[in-house]
Each structure stands twice: as C-alpha cells, then as structure tokens.
Amino acid sequence: MAEFWTFYAWPTIWVVIQIVAIIVPLLLAVAYLTYAERKILGAMQLRQGPMVVGPFGLLQPIADGLKLMVKETIIPSGSNRVIFLIAPMLTFLLSLVAWAVIPFGEGMVVADINVGILYLFAISSLGVYGIIMAGWASNSKYAFFGALRSAAQMVSYEVSIGFVIVTVLLCAGSLNLSEIVRAQENLWFVIPLFPMAVVFFVSALAETNRAPFDLPEGESEITGGFMVEYSAMTYALFFLGEYANMILMSGMTTVLFLGGWLPPFGFAPFTWIPGPVWFALKIALCLFVFIWVRGTMPRYRYDQLMRLGWKVFLPFSLFWVVLTAGVLMAFDWLPA
Amino acid sequence: MVVLALAFYLFAGITIASGVMVVATRNPVHSVLFLILAFFNSAGLFVLMGAEFLAMILVVVYVGAVAVLFLFVVMMLDINYAELKEGFIRYLPIGALIGAILLIELLVVIGAWAIVPTAEERAPTPTAMPEGVTNTEALGRLLYTEYVYLFQAAGIVLLIAMIGAIVLTLRQREGVRRQRIADQIGRQREEVLAIRKVEPGGGVS
C-alpha cells in the first residue's frame, strides 16, 4: 500500500496540482487580456474602452464570460454534429496542453522534456485542425472559406517558424526549453538574431490568426470566417483558445529570444525580482505589441499574405540559418 | 511498470481501432480524421519506446503538414456516396488480394523465427544507445556521419520530386496584370501627387 502511495498516488496528485496552478492563472490572464486589448485599442482610438462594469471596467471580462455561458448553443441543422462540437474543444485543449513544457522559472516546469521546443512546434502545428474541422462541419460557405484560408496560411508560416527555431537551436545547442533559456545567460538571442526575432514574431501573428493576418475571420468579407455558425460556449472556447495561443506565442518568443525568466542584467536591483515575474513581464510586453499591431495595421490581402510567407520569409530565414551556422562554425562558437 | 503497460495498450488499442475506422467509415473526411488519430497515437507509442524525437517529428510532419493537405483535398472533393459504394464492390477483390499478400508476408516473417531458430541472429541488431547523449543528438551523429550519403541522396530525391510537381502544375497565363511590389514601394510623392490651390467656383483644369 505504501508503494501505491509513493509511486502512483502522490505523483498524480502533485501533477494535478501543478496543472491547476498553471491553468487557473492562464484563464484569468486570457480574461484580462481581452480587457487589456479593449483598453489599449480604446486608448489608441481616443476612447475609454470598457469602464462601466466594476471600477475602471475591471469586471467586464467576467460579465462577458457569464453572458456567453448562459446563452443558448445553436447547432445548425445541416452541420456535422460531432465534429462541429469537437472542433472548439480541440482548439481550446491544444492551447492549454502546450503550457506543459514552458519554463516559468529555474526548474519551474511541469514536464522538462528533452524535445520541448519540438513539442511546442508540434502542438502549434495541430492548431489548424480545430479551424478546418469547424469550417467543414459548419456546412456553410463562409465558414468553409475561412477554414481554407486558415489552413493555407498556417501551413505557410509554420515553415519559416521552423527555420527560426533551427537558428535558435544552433545557438543554444539543445532542444530543451530550460537549456535554451540558460544559454541566454550572457546575451539574449534577440540581439544577435534580431531579424529572426522579427520574422518569428510576424509568423506568430499569422499563426494565431491575429491582425493584420486575421483573414480566416475577415469580418468584412466572410463575416467571421470559420466561427460564423458558433454561439455561446462553443464560440467562447474558440475565443479562449485564440487568446491562450496569443499568450503561448508570446511565451515562446520570450523563451527563444528574450531570455525567459532571466533578468535583463545580472546585477543587484534586477536580480532581486524573481524569475517568474520577469517572465510574466516579458510576455506582457509581447502581448502589448500583438495588440499594438492590431490597432495600427490594415488587414493584408490574401495573395500578399502568401507572397510574404513564401517569397520573403522563407528565403530570408533559410539564408539566416545558413549564415548563423557559418558564423558559428567559422568562429568556433558552436555550443558543446 | 503497470502504468507503462496500461499506456501502451491504450495507445496501441486506439491506433488499431482508428486504423479500422479509416477503412470502415463511410464519410471520407471522417476517414482522414481517424487517420490523424492513428498517427497521433503512434507518436504516443514512439514516446513509450523512448524515441521522443521521432514521435515529435511524426506529429510535425504527418499530422501537422501531410494530413492537413490531405484533409484539404478530401474536403474539396464533391463525393457521391452511392458511387463510392459501387466502387467498393468493384475493387473488393484487388483489396482482398493485397490484404492477403500482406498477411502472408507477415506470417512468413514471424514464422521464420519458429521455423529457423537461427534467423533471429541474422537480423540487424540495433545500435546500442550511447550513454549520456539525448535521443536527438544520437540520431544526428549517426545520420550525418555513417549515413550521410544516403541522407543526401534522399534529400535530392525529394528536391527532384518538388521540382517535378512545380513543373507539372506551373502555367504561364497571358495578359495577367501582376502586382509589382518594388514599383509600388519605389513610388515617389512627386510622381503621383500634385497639390493645387483651388479657387471657389474656379474648378481644376
């Protein structure tokens, strides 16, 4: 019986506690990201943003969540019921499982696996399924158009994300996310690899279907794209998934380029602040840029989006992979 | 160990069940989705074997790229289910034949161990896992040293296939106005914009 507790029960309970400790703050962060987005967009457009519910409108996301929860879920009669319902769940699920490998601080990670970065890449490449399934199962032309656009877009930008990851791996010498962060102890990768950081961030915008690459939603042409038939909680799951993915992509940018939990300088006043706080601050910075871009840039035309992915980012990132490898080789800087 | 065995039977069971569903289900889109489930669970099996790099690559390449395009094509097809069923009867003999051949081959392979006990010794033994090296590194060391020519040859085959696909599908259309990004960016204000002071009632000539 003692063996049962030490080998099976306690580890399981411990993992469940860790999962809860990540998911609850994450969902709160998602809720307040929507609030932050509306406030920042409001400020950019000389408006107030939400300000009625609670002080400074702080309870607005809770009110929105409650509203979505009590609304009626409508399933279109022509739809493919099972896939229609699985699609939002899948999107939401995938945006949560990726957090298992993200290191929040020194040793603060649920699963410190050797191929952490590949795991993230694999999970983010699955994100497209939620959208394709939703578009097909809705049995509506707008939804289908949205799904087709999204599939082509996500597959295109994944390739350049892959090359960016390869460049970072060349500099870090490990696929483990904690090791990648530790490799940035002296110099964050954003400084030597700045062009790649930009390519990664723009690809992350495309990968999360955010403005200016939000063609799968494209309100003005296809009225909301793949989620046009969704309502209430099914819609809310897509929404939560999208925002959780934004936070995840910001987390990835932080880990790969901004030194994860490391303070910007390794001396006194900076080292007093604990690692997870630095990590959260860096994520918040990336998220601010996400929203800033949305408030500034007009939406891309579809062929321009494809051109940017295949004809600009792909050759450029390929060139940088070769260049980085060459420089590391020539100066004998390759990590052991 | 019990957990490991349970996980194995879970992954293996779902893989086989979804494999069966790929052929059994009527809707082709459901088939592809079951195929994806099968890929995903085989990745789980790889993880159980300690081949985490292969598992992730399986998900990235097959699930993340190949199956997406597959699903893409199947969704676009305008499929008549009645015709599909007719085809099923017609192609049943060929399918059964291929199945039978595969079954016999499997039996021969497994049977060889029983018939010739020394056969097992002749099988190539897997290289021992080097100590203190991660999965990815071990694979890389082997691939880029001993098998570098084969690796490069495989790459060239893929490159030729890619060029072939592009050549087959590329068509030059006449009379299409293309966007020239460089021209658009290179446009100067003076070339396209003139500011005039318009007098009321005078108009612009």
Side-chain angles (χ1 to χ4, degrees), chain A residues 128 147-157 302 306 310, chain B residues 68 72:
Chain A
V128 67
L148 290 185
R149 282 180 174 196
S150 164
Q153 175 180 334
M154 290 174 107
V155 171
S156 311
Y157 280 84
Y302 194 69
M306 284 295 147
W310 289 107
Chain B
V68 172
F72 217 1

Side-chain angles (χ1 to χ4, degrees), chain A residues 8 80 83 94 113-115 118-119 121-123 125-126 128-129 132-133 136 144 147-149 151-152 155 158 175 301 303-304 307, chain B residues 1-3 27 29-30 33 36 40 52-53 56-57 59-60 62-65 67-69 71-72 75-76 134-136 179 181 184:
Chain A
Y8 298 114
N80 193 315
I83 297 182
L94 287 173
I113 58 176
N114 279 332
V115 286
L118 276 179
Y119 174 82
F121 191 53
I123 295 295
S125 72
L126 293 182
V128 67
Y129 282 111
I132 301 189
M133 281 160 76
W136 181 79
F144 195 56
L148 290 185
R149 282 180 174 196
V155 171
E158 234 165 59
L175 290 163
R301 210 173 62 203
D303 60 317
Q304 290 172 334
R307 178 185 167 275
Chain B
M1 279 302 113
V2 181
V3 180
N27 193 329
V29 173
H30 291 178
L33 290 175
I36 291 161
F40 205 74
E52 68 259 19
F53 181 77
M56 293 304 152
I57 291 297
V59 175
V60 170
Y62 282 92
V63 183
V68 172
L69 298 179
L71 195 60
F72 217 1
M75 277 179 182
M76 305 281 277
T134 62
N135 207 293
T136 320
Q179 184 182 20
I181 304 268
Q184 289 180 345

Side-chain angles (χ1 to χ4, degrees), chain A residues 11 26 62 75 97 140 163 166 178 180 197 206 256 278 306 326-327 333:
Chain A
L26 179 66
I62 316 259
I75 299 174
V97 290
S140 140
F163 280 123
V166 171
S178 305
I180 291 173
L256 292 179
W278 278 121
M306 284 295 147
V327 167
W333 287 341

Side-chain angles (χ1 to χ4, degrees), chain A residues 193-263:
Chain A
L193 298 176
F194 183 71
M196 289 312 253
V198 174
V199 169
F200 183 81
F201 193 77
V202 176
S203 302
L205 287 176
E207 192 78 0
T208 47
N209 292 331
R210 289 287 300 179
F213 305 110
D214 55 347
L215 288 130
E217 281 160 51
E219 295 87 351
S220 50
E221 318 121 66
I222 50 174
T223 68
F226 60 92
M227 24 183 176
V228 72
E229 303 289 346
Y230 283 87
S231 56
M233 261 337 262
T234 50
Y235 170 77
L237 285 181
F238 270 123
F239 200 73
L240 290 172
E242 184 183 328
Y243 280 78
N245 267 330
M246 271 169 72
I247 304 180
L248 178 73
M249 278 297 173
S250 305
M252 253 173 106
T253 315
T254 307
V255 167
L256 292 179
F257 293 105
L258 299 178
W261 68 80
L262 297 170

